[in-house]
Amino acid sequence: MNTTDVLVVGSGMGALTSAALLANKGLKVRIIEQNWQPGGCTSSYWRKGYVFETGATTLVGLGEGMPLQYVIDKTGIELPLRKLGLPMQVWLNGGIRVNRYEALEEWIAEAERVFGESGQRAFWTECFKVSQFVWQNSLRQLSFPPTRFIDVLASLKHFSFSQLAHLPYAFLSVEAVLKKHSLLENKPFVDFVNEQLLITAQNHMEQVNFLFGAAALCYTNYSNYYVDGGLLNLVLPLVKYVEDHGGQIVYREKVESVSRTASGYRVQTNKGAYETEYLISGIPVNNTQKLFSRGSIALKTKATMMSEQLNSAFQMGIGFVPHRHFDSIHHQIHLSEPLPETGSASIFVSLNHPQDTDRTDVSGERVMSVSTHLPNPQHRLIDNSVVEKAIIKVLIKHDFFKPENLKVYHSSGPKSWQKWTGRQWGFVGGYPQYLNIKPWQMLDCRIDGYKAYQVGDTVYPGQGIPGVTLSGIIAMEKLRLDWKV
């Protein structure tokens, strides 16, 4: 039977973060991936001469005090990154275009131009201040949420009065802070905030607490990046790092059950069995529970969300010939009427960087990924062709391409997501933020109270690549605290 120090289930960004950091500490790491390439929802795939993103398209988390920067600094991994000048444009109903500038003063001036001066400066100044606090403290409180005495001791070591002063924001919704600044009657702004929150917090302003909401709304005020060739090239350097440090990744192998042994775990796959001392689950906690229950292990947490609380996505991949210059590669388009079949109020569009020639076979052509939320995916049956036609109509209306320049397109829904990632019901984007779940009530990464740990967007919900990267760091830190690794 194959043995290893650490077995990692799945190869998303959270899983690969833990794998790389544990390999850095000298542990032998084996990664089991059910697909034919790594990355999960942070990856890319080739089809009909174009490279499309599988899910995530935006990249933040670099810079002082940010999670991805932490991984780079610890490992020395180099990533092929381009910094974006304008992180995003938002197209409001009525044809108004909003430039989401990185510099705070530039952004406040733009917000005042579009939404009126009343309340904007005060709201965004407070929002950015809180977002800075969140990121500055995310790497200081790596035993969060504290569920053991050792966590409390580690938390107290890094306690500050600033943390205490910001505690009330965990009890306030984004909606409450808008009300504080007399912005709830500003409907265009309320719509803008709600659709922006969906991108990173996976929910609307009445459910997102302001600690997470501030970070979600201000992520364009931090450096945004693009990876040439697609986000697969973000995860491949992490895989290589693990392999260079004595580890291994196995593809097209699916974990079927996990059971306890005297010193760790026995992991049964469709191709054999492994024994490991430590286990990292990079798949959603919904899926993890099934693996452990098949091995008759009682899990510490059963606080899983059901389909009606979750989102899947409808996504299109489009290849086209551009006829104009784009100021940004990321766009959110608000819809004048709900999208057929999905009921969505907006779509998100990501283009390849104009200087990236690695994502199309034909020189001069470009590629875009288009996505929108699809709530309660368990029983959703939609007519893809109806949604495709509606999205293409919107893109032509907003001059993203001319009808004759559309070269190829395809789409995917919950069933495709479930097949690609194995996620229950095909839900993506992770657990949404809910106001009744305070930061200290998030799922602890300790799965069974022993040597298994959970990472990904179900333990650190709704914050994209920075959030799942942070989940991998936290799991590594708790494993180190528990077992003095």
Side-chain angles (χ1 to χ4, degrees):
M1 183 180 294
N2 291 309
T3 61
T4 188
D5 296 329
V6 184
L7 190 138
V8 181
V9 183
S11 62
M13 273 300 295
L16 290 177
T17 295
S18 286
L21 293 174
L22 291 168
N24 178 257
K25 288 189 172 295
L27 277 72
K28 181 182 177 182
V29 178
R30 176 178 281 110
I31 304 166
I32 306 295
E33 170 55 54
Q34 59 99 22
N35 217 319
W36 52 274
Q37 65 178 39
C41 291
T42 307
S43 191
S44 315
Y45 63 96
W46 181 92
R47 179 178 289 190
K48 296 182 179 179
Y50 303 88
V51 175
F52 299 102
E53 304 288 25
T54 60
T57 56
T58 60
L59 177 59
V60 293
L62 290 148
E64 185 178 357
M66 300 294 273
L68 192 52
Q69 188 67 52
Y70 175 94
V71 177
I72 291 172
D73 292 344
K74 288 289 184 181
T75 61
I77 292 172
E78 295 184 0
L79 300 174
L81 304 173
R82 292 182 186 270
K83 187 177 182 299
L84 300 180
L86 179 62
M88 186 193 303
Q89 287 185 319
V90 181
W91 302 70
L92 305 180
N93 287 321
I96 300 173
R97 184 170 55 185
V98 186
N99 293 316
R100 291 234 56 185
Y101 296 111
E102 179 180 335
L104 181 61
E105 282 300 316
E106 201 171 1
W107 164 238
I108 290 175
E110 177 74 349
E112 290 179 336
R113 177 188 73 83
V114 175
F115 302 111
E117 293 187 6
S118 178
Q120 292 295 324
R121 174 168 292 277
F123 174 77
W124 287 108
T125 300
E126 183 173 11
C127 200
F128 185 65
K129 177 185 173 183
V130 173
S131 76
Q132 286 184 305
F133 163 80
V134 170
W135 290 122
Q136 287 168 0
N137 285 274
S138 65
L139 292 175
R140 295 175 184 170
Q141 293 292 349
L142 291 179
S143 57
F144 203 82
T147 57
R148 291 182 176 177
F149 184 64
I150 195 170
D151 296 340
V152 176
L153 290 179
S155 294
L156 288 174
K157 184 186 295 186
H158 300 284
F159 171 78
S160 70
F161 286 106
S162 173
Q163 293 168 6
L164 190 63
H166 283 82
L167 183 63
Y169 285 117
F171 296 91
L172 287 177
S173 66
V174 174
E175 181 182 45
V177 180
L178 259 69
K179 182 178 181 180
K180 169 185 170 183
H181 294 290
S182 302
L183 288 167
L184 282 183
E185 301 305 314
N186 189 335
K187 188 178 185 305
F189 185 64
V190 168
D191 292 342
F192 168 82
V193 167
N194 273 330
E195 295 309 305
Q196 288 280 283
L197 285 173
L198 268 181
I199 298 174
T200 50
Q202 302 293 314
N203 218 329
H204 289 134
M205 62 181 186
E206 65 274 8
Q207 287 293 343
V208 180
N209 79 65
F210 196 66
L211 278 178
F212 284 119
L217 289 172
C218 287
Y219 84 101
T220 51
N221 297 116
Y222 295 84
S223 295
N224 281 239
Y225 294 87
Y226 174 86
V227 181
D228 276 13
L231 284 173
L232 177 63
N233 290 331
L234 172 67
V235 300
L236 286 177
L238 294 168
V239 172
K240 185 176 186 302
Y241 183 87
V242 172
E243 292 176 330
D244 288 347
H245 286 73
Q248 179 188 20
I249 184 167
V250 180
Y251 296 107
R252 293 188 181 278
E253 190 164 350
K254 188 173 183 179
V255 175
E256 296 178 337
S257 67
V258 178
S259 54
R260 187 79 62 81
T261 64
S263 59
Y265 302 90
R266 184 180 190 274
V267 179
Q268 182 67 48
T269 77
N270 61 326
K271 295 185 178 180
Y274 301 87
E275 284 199 355
T276 181
E277 182 171 4
Y278 305 104
L279 186 138
I280 303 289
S281 178
I283 60 178
V285 66
N286 300 59
N287 298 74
T288 301
Q289 284 193 349
K290 291 184 176 181
L291 296 183
F292 277 71
S293 64
R294 290 171 190 155
S296 301
I297 300 178
L299 296 194
K300 181 181 177 184
T301 176
K302 296 184 181 300
T304 54
M305 291 187 186
M306 296 296 99
S307 176
E308 57 268 21
Q309 298 170 282
L310 302 170
N311 295 299
S312 185
F314 182 89
Q315 186 177 46
M316 286 186 70
I318 298 174
F320 69 104
V321 179
H323 69 283
R324 69 174 182 89
H325 168 75
F326 294 92
D327 294 328
S328 176
I329 65 169
H330 299 304
H331 302 260
Q332 187 181 53
I333 303 175
H334 289 210
L335 306 176
S336 57
E337 56 186 33
L339 195 67
E341 301 284 308
T342 72
S344 309
S346 68
I347 60 174
F348 192 74
V349 181
S350 290
L351 306 160
N352 69 308
H353 195 283
Q355 296 176 19
D356 178 11
T357 59
D358 293 334
R359 289 183 59 186
T360 61
D361 285 352
V362 179
S363 178
E365 293 188 359
R366 294 188 70 175
V367 62
M368 71 170 70
S369 295
V370 185
S371 61
T372 192
H373 285 75
L374 197 62
N376 193 6
Q378 184 176 10
H379 302 296
R380 292 299 294 266
L381 295 175
I382 62 174
D383 188 334
N384 284 23
S385 64
V386 171
V387 190
E388 289 170 352
K389 289 176 183 177
I391 288 176
I392 289 171
K393 183 178 179 180
V394 169
L395 294 171
I396 291 173
K397 175 184 175 181
H398 286 81
D399 201 32
F400 276 72
F401 52 75
K402 294 184 179 297
E404 62 270 22
N405 289 344
L406 179 60
K407 305 297 290 185
V408 66
Y409 65 89
H410 67 280
S411 64
S412 56
K415 286 186 178 181
S416 298
W417 284 111
Q418 188 166 11
K419 182 178 180 181
W420 176 266
T421 65
R423 286 170 168 255
Q424 188 177 30
W425 310 310
F427 82 88
V428 292
Y431 278 7
Q433 298 290 342
Y434 283 98
L435 190 61
N436 66 313
I437 302 174
K438 303 299 183 284
W440 53 88
Q441 295 173 316
M442 295 189 307
L443 296 179
D444 185 19
C445 68
R446 298 182 180 98
I447 296 173
D448 61 348
Y450 188 46
K451 294 183 177 181
Y453 299 81
Q454 179 82 46
V455 301
D457 55 15
T458 52
V459 288
Y460 200 97
Q463 293 291 336
I465 290 175
V468 294
T469 302
L470 183 58
S471 78
I473 298 170
I474 290 172
M476 183 278 299
E477 178 64 16
K478 290 201 173 187
L479 188 155
R480 186 191 68 80
L481 285 174
D482 292 345
W483 305 102
K484 310 300 183 214
V485 172

